[in-house]
Amino acid sequence: MTKATIHLRDYGWIVYCFFNTKPYDSDIILGYLRSFGCKGDDFISARRNLENGRKNEGLTYSNYERRVSVLVVGEASSLDELMNSSAHEIDHLSKHIAQASGIDLMSEEASYIVGDITQKLYTVLEDRGA
């Protein structure tokens, strides 16, 4: 598993990222989710997702009030599936940030959020050789 923390300073947002996760990583990630307020059906769904062992899956949870998110991209079966899952979770994350910040989801600014997240994740993953 590759873990990274990215700061989106323009939005006052922190993202805890987990890539190439496997079922045995679930306790660590569930601890983060719980600490940021994930509970009830959302927590149960996250646990099932993290522990099911299927490839090409992920999840994104955000606490809008605390301006913090957990982004997970599980083990991928191929590079194109890794890109697909990453783009999918980045899309969720960017929508959460835009919605919490009062930004129109169809605006250019919302698209800049996607680019900012993608660029920061690329830099982190490249530095770690992931």
Side-chain angles (χ1 to χ4, degrees), residues 12-116:
W13 210 278
I14 299 173
V15 185
Y16 297 90
C17 308
F18 302 88
F19 282 85
N20 195 33
T21 63
K22 298 185 177 54
Y24 56 79
D25 299 316
S26 63
D27 286 343
I28 293 168
I29 299 165
L30 290 168
Y32 275 83
L33 291 167
R34 187 178 292 113
S35 73
F36 297 131
C38 184
K39 57 188 173 186
D41 289 342
D42 288 340
F43 188 82
I44 292 167
S45 177
R47 176 185 288 148
R48 284 185 186 139
N49 179 302
L50 293 167
E51 294 177 348
N52 71 26
R54 291 193 298 257
K55 293 184 180 185
N56 309 318
E57 293 193 2
L59 67 91
T60 300
Y61 171 82
S62 296
N63 181 314
Y64 290 25
E65 289 179 13
R66 293 177 65 183
R67 301 183 82 75
V68 63
S69 298
V70 175
L71 182 146
V72 179
V73 176
E75 184 179 15
S77 60
S78 61
L79 181 56
D80 66 319
E81 287 292 348
L82 173 64
M83 295 300 298
N84 182 319
S85 295
S86 298
H88 181 97
E89 298 310 326
I90 290 168
D91 180 63
H92 283 305
L93 176 59
S94 67
K95 287 176 180 171
H96 295 179
I97 294 168
Q99 191 170 32
S101 302
I103 298 167
D104 180 354
L105 294 177
M106 299 301 290
S107 70
E108 190 70 12
E109 186 173 1
S111 295
Y112 280 120
I113 296 171
V114 173
D116 193 24

